[in-house]
Amino acid sequence: MDKESNDSILGNQNIQLNNFDFDLSKKRAAKEPLQYSKEDFLFSLAIPVLGFLFIKWIAAPWTDGNQMGLGVAAFTLCFIAAVLAWFGPGKVRKQPVSAIYLALILLAGGYFMIYENLMLQRMALGFLIGLAAYYVLVLGENRIEKQLGSYLPLDLLGALVQLPFGDFGKLFAILLDGVKKRKNGRSFIMLLSGMLLALPACIYVGLLLQSADAAFEQFWHYIMENFLQDAAITAFQIFISFPVSMYLYSLIYGCRKNTGKAWLGEEKAAALAAKSRFLPFYLVIGGITPLLILYLMFFFSQTAYFLSAFSGFLPQGMVYSEYARRGFFELCTVSTINLAFIALLLFLTKESGGRLISRIYGSLFSLFSVALIAISLSKMLLYIDIYGLTPKRLYTSWFMLFLLLVFLFVIIRLWRPSFNMIKWWAAAAMAMFLVLCYANTDRLIARYNVEGYRSGKLAQLDVYLLDELGSEATPYLIKMLTDESGVDIYREQVRQILKTRIYYNEAQEGDWRSLTLSSYRSRQLLMEYQDQILAGSSEK
């Protein structure tokens, strides 16, 4: 190969290399720098504190087996303060409807200051988290529609999943970039990293030194017992708070960054809703017709049996417990299945919205379900009247009342297409849940059972149920202990329960995170009657 050919080849390779370098530089130039405001950086410093408080005030007491209390209420206030400060007062004034959701958040958070019902607390915490995420979505004007409407499930999906995880790494990206740009920022990061890397070596050397010297061993044990153990727990809480902080930051940052833009465009949401209607209309009608006929046959064949629940008389050959319990949960299940078929007809079926036959079928399913719910509630009330009230019976009755409203709204929606059914479902759910929370259900159950037994309405009393109710049952347990009329057979059981509560309160004293108004009043009563409670066991 001659020299000219070699030079030509080398020249071509140089051109290719130059072009390759040019392409890389173009790609590097195309990468946009991280853009954020001063407020975004400041809150990248503040939100990790909020994430740590969530672990410290909410998660830690719960995982330790304690009740939630003031810790949840305090964190709620801190979260609201951070959101309002980050968005600014102008955004709040621009979205007056956000005041409604703010009031609901305060009500949900305030519940933890008053009552300590563990089951309702868990439900209220989930309700509070969902409501807080939706509130941020409202402030950022990121909803698909400008109001609470049919796209509520998609909005909740965006607030709880898409937005937080869409910018999940933004917290530390902005935090590190902001620190680097500050004077001596890189030096601070290197210094902190060096200290963290040296920590295992320091612990190992400390163990060696305490083995080598008795005086240092005593000093080392003192540090371990009084400082390092708590420091290790705090360090672990800080570590597990990182995902919480990243979640909170990306949620608020995403809504604020995209202010005025829906997380999912209304056109895309409408297209998604249209695609979800994939079932042929007559296939669905053909599938649910036999079920409808079966339900109608069942209802009419059992009319005399079920409707006796309204009159309070028993069918021949049955006792109250068998009659009230038999078929109750089956009827509840049938009502829930009917709701699933109505949702199938309304949301997943092609061309079903304006057809008369779909309205008729949906109305029949709804009316049949309303009748079943009414019968089920009548049977439950009869059972409660004879055997007393329990949390499960109360919560089941509440859920059936909610289902009753759901089916009534379905009927309205079928014959009035402009009716915003999802909005009214959501409003009814929030209102009824808050009523359930603030109804003080534990006290209601304790009063109903104790007063019913004392009056002779109830033949027996489940004392251990009163113990499971929590602090709100304490006044009624003390009443049973001090009352001399007709409760002797339960007095020692009640005394043991109250003694256990005294010891439990002494163990939990000082933990403000689990404190509630209910537990505080219970402690005061137990202190007032402590001598009388403990006297019985000492006499024996």
Side-chain angles (χ1 to χ4, degrees), residues 185-300:
R186 289 181 179 273
S187 301
F188 173 78
I189 294 176
M190 297 302 293
L191 177 65
L192 184 61
S193 301
M195 294 174 66
L196 292 175
L197 291 173
L199 187 60
C202 290
I203 295 175
Y204 180 68
V205 172
L207 292 173
L208 293 177
L209 291 175
Q210 64 102 17
S211 300
D213 183 77
F216 186 79
E217 181 182 10
Q218 185 177 3
F219 178 69
W220 181 261
H221 281 301
Y222 175 80
I223 293 176
M224 289 292 293
E225 292 176 0
N226 296 277
F227 174 72
L228 286 184
Q229 186 175 1
D230 293 336
I233 294 175
T234 302
F236 177 73
Q237 290 176 341
I238 292 173
F239 177 74
I240 62 176
S241 72
F242 287 159
V244 178
S245 304
M246 295 167 69
Y247 184 93
L248 293 174
Y249 187 88
S250 55
L251 168 64
I252 306 171
Y253 173 82
C255 289
R256 188 174 180 273
K257 179 184 68 174
N258 300 305
T259 297
K261 299 178 183 178
W263 78 273
L264 180 66
E266 189 168 355
E267 293 182 0
K268 291 182 179 180
L272 184 62
K275 287 182 180 179
S276 67
R277 295 178 175 273
F278 64 96
L279 295 175
F281 177 75
Y282 286 105
L283 176 66
V284 175
I285 293 297
I288 63 178
T289 297
L291 287 171
L292 183 59
I293 295 172
L294 181 63
Y295 290 161
L296 291 172
M297 290 173 57
F298 175 79
F299 182 77
F300 285 115

Side-chain angles (χ1 to χ4, degrees), residues 274-517:
K275 287 182 180 179
S276 67
R277 295 178 175 273
F278 64 96
L279 295 175
F281 177 75
Y282 286 105
L283 176 66
V284 175
I285 293 297
I288 63 178
T289 297
L291 287 171
L292 183 59
I293 295 172
L294 181 63
Y295 290 161
L296 291 172
M297 290 173 57
F298 175 79
F299 182 77
F300 285 115
S301 66
Q302 300 292 323
T303 300
Y305 170 78
F306 285 120
L307 292 183
S308 58
F310 294 108
S311 61
F313 296 104
L314 292 176
Q316 187 175 1
M318 299 192 72
V319 296
Y320 278 109
S321 59
E322 180 186 1
Y323 172 70
R325 296 178 66 179
R326 181 177 180 181
F328 172 79
F329 292 103
E330 288 79 1
L331 293 178
C332 296
T333 304
V334 168
S335 300
T336 306
I337 292 173
N338 287 350
L339 182 61
F341 279 117
I342 290 173
L344 185 75
L345 185 63
L346 289 179
F347 304 117
L348 301 180
T349 305
K350 296 178 181 178
E351 303 176 357
S352 63
R355 298 202 179 194
L356 180 62
I357 187 171
S358 64
R359 295 180 180 181
I360 294 174
Y361 269 57
S363 298
L364 287 174
F365 269 108
S366 299
L367 290 172
F368 184 71
S369 301
V370 168
L372 288 179
I373 290 171
I375 294 170
S376 301
L377 283 173
S378 299
K379 290 162 70 72
M380 179 56 76
L381 291 176
L382 178 62
Y383 192 71
I384 291 171
D385 189 57
I386 302 300
Y387 294 102
L389 196 58
T390 65
K392 287 184 178 179
R393 294 167 195 169
L394 180 61
Y395 300 151
T396 302
S397 301
W398 174 88
F399 179 69
M400 296 305 291
L401 284 174
F402 173 67
L403 275 185
L404 186 65
L405 286 178
V406 167
F407 284 112
L408 291 176
F409 292 152
V410 167
I411 294 174
I412 297 174
R413 168 66 175 78
L414 286 169
W415 296 98
R416 187 182 173 188
S418 61
F419 179 70
N420 195 338
M421 181 178 64
I422 301 294
K423 174 182 177 180
W424 285 99
W425 277 0
M430 290 187 290
M432 289 187 65
F433 180 70
L434 288 174
V435 168
L436 180 68
C437 288
Y438 280 93
N440 198 354
T441 55
D442 281 355
R443 189 179 186 89
L444 178 66
I445 294 169
R447 182 174 65 243
Y448 183 90
N449 291 339
V450 172
E451 297 300 333
Y453 178 77
R454 295 178 67 203
S455 66
K457 184 179 180 180
L458 298 179
Q460 57 184 2
L461 181 65
D462 188 350
V463 177
Y464 293 104
L465 170 67
L466 299 179
D467 184 32
E468 294 173 0
L469 293 178
S471 298
E472 287 299 328
T474 299
Y476 297 95
L477 289 168
I478 291 177
K479 181 182 291 187
M480 292 177 65
L481 181 69
T482 57
D483 189 5
E484 299 296 332
S485 58
V487 290
D488 291 339
I489 59 174
Y490 297 115
R491 184 166 283 114
E492 287 308 311
Q493 290 176 283
V494 169
R495 191 187 305 278
Q496 293 301 319
I497 292 172
L498 290 172
K499 286 173 60 179
T500 303
R501 294 193 173 203
I502 290 175
Y503 300 145
Y504 176 79
N505 287 338
E506 290 176 353
Q508 295 299 318
E509 191 172 2
D511 189 355
W512 67 271
R513 299 169 300 178
S514 300
L515 183 64
T516 64
L517 179 61

Side-chain angles (χ1 to χ4, degrees), residues 7-257:
D7 292 341
S8 176
I9 292 172
L10 290 174
N12 291 334
Q13 289 178 345
N14 288 333
I15 293 173
Q16 290 174 357
L17 288 173
N18 290 335
N19 289 338
F20 180 72
D21 291 339
F22 177 72
D23 290 338
L24 284 179
S25 63
K26 280 175 61 179
K27 290 179 181 178
R28 286 194 294 265
K31 185 179 179 181
E32 295 183 1
L34 187 62
Q35 295 182 355
Y36 54 91
S37 65
K38 180 181 178 181
E39 291 80 7
D40 296 336
F41 171 70
L42 292 176
F43 277 94
S44 71
L45 299 171
I47 294 300
V49 178
L50 196 63
F52 173 73
L53 293 181
F54 179 87
I55 299 298
K56 188 74 174 178
W57 291 353
I58 299 178
W62 193 8
T63 53
D64 289 341
N66 299 328
Q67 299 280 353
M68 290 178 281
L70 280 176
V72 180
F75 178 82
T76 301
L77 293 177
C78 293
F79 175 80
I80 290 174
V83 171
L84 293 179
W86 200 351
F87 274 97
K91 177 58 65 177
V92 179
R93 288 194 297 267
K94 192 176 179 181
Q95 288 290 321
V97 70
S98 65
I100 298 175
Y101 298 102
L102 178 59
L104 292 173
I105 291 173
L106 292 174
L107 282 173
Y111 165 75
F112 292 89
M113 298 173 57
I114 305 174
Y115 305 117
E116 60 171 14
N117 184 310
L118 184 58
M119 180 180 291
L120 284 181
Q121 280 188 343
R122 291 172 178 173
M123 296 170 62
L125 183 61
F127 173 75
L128 182 59
I129 291 173
L131 190 60
Y134 189 77
Y135 172 66
V136 177
L137 201 70
V138 171
L139 276 180
E141 302 178 62
N142 303 120
R143 292 184 294 178
I144 298 173
E145 294 181 305
K146 299 303 180 184
Q147 61 176 348
L148 186 65
S150 56
Y151 293 122
L152 175 62
L154 288 177
D155 281 333
L156 287 174
L157 179 66
L160 293 171
V161 179
Q162 197 278 334
L163 284 171
F165 291 105
D167 289 316
F168 199 64
K170 275 294 188 291
L171 169 61
F172 290 109
I174 292 175
L175 178 60
L176 293 176
D177 188 73
V179 172
K180 288 178 182 178
K181 290 180 178 179
R182 265 61 184 175
K183 186 178 180 180
N184 299 324
R186 289 181 179 273
S187 301
F188 173 78
I189 294 176
M190 297 302 293
L191 177 65
L192 184 61
S193 301
M195 294 174 66
L196 292 175
L197 291 173
L199 187 60
C202 290
I203 295 175
Y204 180 68
V205 172
L207 292 173
L208 293 177
L209 291 175
Q210 64 102 17
S211 300
D213 183 77
F216 186 79
E217 181 182 10
Q218 185 177 3
F219 178 69
W220 181 261
H221 281 301
Y222 175 80
I223 293 176
M224 289 292 293
E225 292 176 0
N226 296 277
F227 174 72
L228 286 184
Q229 186 175 1
D230 293 336
I233 294 175
T234 302
F236 177 73
Q237 290 176 341
I238 292 173
F239 177 74
I240 62 176
S241 72
F242 287 159
V244 178
S245 304
M246 295 167 69
Y247 184 93
L248 293 174
Y249 187 88
S250 55
L251 168 64
I252 306 171
Y253 173 82
C255 289
R256 188 174 180 273
K257 179 184 68 174

